[in-house]
Amino acid sequence: MTINSAIITGGTGMLAMALERLLAGKGIAVTLLVRPGSPRLGQLDVSPGTKVVECDLKDLHALEAGSHDAFYHFGWDGTFGPARDNAALQCGNIRHTLDAVELAARLGCGVFVGAGSQAEYGRADGVLTASTPCNPETGYGIAKLAAGRLSRIACGQLGVRHVWARVLSAYGPGDNTQTMMMSCVRSLMKGERMAFTKGEQRWDYLYCDDAAMGFYLMGLRGRDGAVYPLASGKPRSLAEYIFAARDVVNPAMEVGLGELAYPPGQVMRLEADTSALVHDTGFASSVPFERGVSLTANWLKEHNL
């Protein structure tokens, strides 16, 4: 498949912005859908050839946007805080995902790539794969799992290739300030001492530009019906990540490791087997964590955040 044009929902989110940069850099025409009046519109820095369209998720069914080769769906309401367990809101996200599939078919897209989440697995003890049993514990995780499976059925009925990515822990410019890594980098930049758990969790952070490459390659070469856990494949303990971020941003800063108890339901393992993604698409992460933290800190400075 060749991708000459693509449409992206959730356009003000970190992964959507990273994918827009990547696609535009390859000369691919991009239509970026953004929420009308989003407070994050001021953070958009798109290429001159990208078309930005204000369209709420609930209005996807009525959108007219020409024809495209690929559809990347990142748009999602209620990703943080109590909204993750707002049943009505999360059910709406499932409906919006199915509307996105219908829009993709109407625009002539040959592939639909959806952004799922590690939350679909719930708490798993082993390395995550596409076949790892899913037992989501939040409304968000339940809705992501349902959206992935239902959109696969819908794509099959409409003749659109379907690929679903389960993102583990992405970070970088444009990330939400409530995420662990972004709040850590911001606090280090401000010289604010932070308290942490012992940091024994084994996680896998992936820089947003690498994640964007993964999504691009899934659209280009991903198998129809495939589910790909998306990670660097190079997990480390959370303590290692914290000290590495400290050494990049503020080496003299004291880190309060072990000062907090693990919260109930703490996920201790978030690492994935990426061999299927590598085999099918040729994906490989290329941005070392320390470099990604440096780029993230520079972006925060540029935006006075």
Side-chain angles (χ1 to χ4, degrees), residues 76 89-99 142-144 146-147 150:
W76 198 271
L89 182 66
Q90 297 301 338
C91 282
N93 284 315
I94 299 171
R95 177 68 260 172
H96 300 329
T97 301
L98 296 177
D99 288 342
I142 293 168
K144 281 286 189 181
L150 289 171

Side-chain angles (χ1 to χ4, degrees), residues 194-258:
M194 290 186 70
F196 298 93
T197 65
K198 292 180 180 180
E200 299 162 310
Q201 304 95 313
R202 191 165 176 79
W203 287 359
D204 187 332
Y205 274 103
L206 181 67
Y207 187 63
C208 60
D209 286 5
D210 280 339
M213 178 59 75
F215 274 96
Y216 166 65
L217 292 172
M218 287 182 221
L220 200 63
R221 304 175 189 141
R223 286 183 295 105
D224 184 25
V227 174
Y228 296 112
L230 182 58
S232 74
K234 306 165 187 174
R236 299 158 76 172
S237 72
L238 187 56
E240 290 180 81
Y241 283 120
I242 292 169
F243 281 120
R246 188 276 309 272
D247 291 346
V248 169
V249 180
N250 191 346
M253 191 70 193
E254 181 183 353
V255 173
L257 205 68

